[in-house]
């Protein structure tokens, strides 16, 4: 029932190591419960797992509920499926946000790396910087990297989103890739977006998804490589 300063996850290497926080849930042991932050925030969470998949406060959720939680000034580095709050989401996220810096290889989002079929995100947002690492960086989004059949509503992202040269495919201010009947409604993005191919102020690419009552207002920079 209070705010938490998680600075020790970076400064106290004797107890936390150089990796910092160990994400809750992974592919083999998924988080399936309910987490209610009661409107409080966790500040200065640090995660340094650059070659580990499923990275975030929660690494992998399955039919879980996460609500009413804020993450302030995160510093998160992961491999594939990396997000400020959840790396890989199969569940419900409501009234939650993340600010700070998030970086990973592919499927990288300021709030959620991969929002899978039946995943729902509502009344949530992300700000700060989201980036893909060189050699990877497919599906990078200010809020969600890849929305596969999931639902995003009443949400937004305002941070800078980028994919590095050599990668940088499917980069969006809100969502990198919206696919397989993924739904986005009443949402927006305002940050600067840059990448190589398939870049958009709101969505990098939309494949069989639905987008309604949504917009972007940021600057988009991209290039098409030939050969």
């Amino acid at each position: 029932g209070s705010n938490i300063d998680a600075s020790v996850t970076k400064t106290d290497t004797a107890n936390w190591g150089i990796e910092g926080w160990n994400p809750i849930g992974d592919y083999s042991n998924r988080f399936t419960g309910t987490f209610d932050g009661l409107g409080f925030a966790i500040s200065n969470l640090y995660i340094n797992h650059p070659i580990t998949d499923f990275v975030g406060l929660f690494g992998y959720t399955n039919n879980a509920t996460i609500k009413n939680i804020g993450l302030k000034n995160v510093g998160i580095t992961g491999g594939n499926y990396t997000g400020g709050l959840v790396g890989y989401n199969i569940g419900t996220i409501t009234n939650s946000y993340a600010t700070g810096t998030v970086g990973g290889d592919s499927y990288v989002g300021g709030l959620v790396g991969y929002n899978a079929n039946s995943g729902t995100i509502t009344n949530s947002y992300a700000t700060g910087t989201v980036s893909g690492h060189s050699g990877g960086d497919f599906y990078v989004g200010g809020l969600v990297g890849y929305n596969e059949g999931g639902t995003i509503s009443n949400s937004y992202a305002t941070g800078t989103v980028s994919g590095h040269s050599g990668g940088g495919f499917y980069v969006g201010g809100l969502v990198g890739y919206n696919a397989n009947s993924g739904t986005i409604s009443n949402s927006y993005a305002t940050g600067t977006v840059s990448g190589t191919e398939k870049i958009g102020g709101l969505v990098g690419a939309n494949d069989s998804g639905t987008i309604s009552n949504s917009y972007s207002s940021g600057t988009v920079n991209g290039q098409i490589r030939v050969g």
Side-chain angles (χ1 to χ4, degrees):
S2 63
N3 295 317
I4 296 173
D5 184 350
S7 296
V8 292
T9 55
K10 182 176 183 179
T11 60
D12 187 2
T13 55
N15 289 301
W16 292 91
I18 61 173
E19 298 87 3
W21 175 262
N22 189 35
I24 301 170
D26 57 26
Y27 183 81
S28 300
N29 187 22
R30 305 170 186 181
F31 177 75
T32 60
T34 297
F35 180 88
D36 188 345
L38 302 175
F40 293 102
I42 299 169
S43 300
N44 306 309
L45 181 72
Y46 178 74
I47 305 175
N48 183 29
H49 291 278
I51 59 173
T52 300
D53 296 339
F54 310 113
V55 172
L57 176 65
F58 294 87
Y60 201 125
T61 66
N62 187 18
N63 296 319
T65 297
I66 299 172
K67 57 186 178 180
N68 307 320
I69 183 65
L71 295 175
K72 295 181 178 180
N73 193 36
V74 300
I76 296 176
T77 302
N80 298 315
Y81 310 107
T82 297
L85 181 61
V86 180
Y88 194 106
N89 178 58
I90 305 176
T92 301
I93 298 172
T94 60
N95 301 323
S96 298
Y97 66 88
T99 73
T101 302
V102 179
D105 288 335
S106 295
Y107 310 103
V108 183
L111 190 74
V112 173
Y114 193 104
N115 192 44
N117 193 12
S118 77
T120 300
I121 300 170
T122 60
N123 300 321
S124 298
Y125 68 89
T127 69
T129 301
V130 183
S131 61
H133 297 155
S134 59
D137 62 3
F138 289 83
Y139 316 114
V140 182
L143 187 76
V144 175
Y146 196 115
N147 185 44
E148 184 180 22
T151 300
I152 299 170
S153 63
N154 303 315
S155 298
Y156 66 89
T158 64
T160 300
V161 186
S162 63
H164 289 82
S165 59
F169 297 92
Y170 305 102
V171 182
L174 187 76
V175 175
Y177 194 63
N178 187 50
N180 298 334
S181 300
T183 300
I184 299 170
S185 63
N186 304 318
S187 299
Y188 67 89
T190 64
T192 298
V193 183
S194 60
T196 302
E197 295 183 34
K198 297 180 174 62
I199 309 125
L202 187 72
V203 174
N206 184 48
D207 183 4
S208 303
T210 300
I211 301 173
S212 61
N213 300 320
S214 300
Y215 70 90
S216 66
S217 61
T219 300
V220 179
N221 303 300
Q223 63 182 11
I224 297 176
R225 298 182 302 170
V226 178

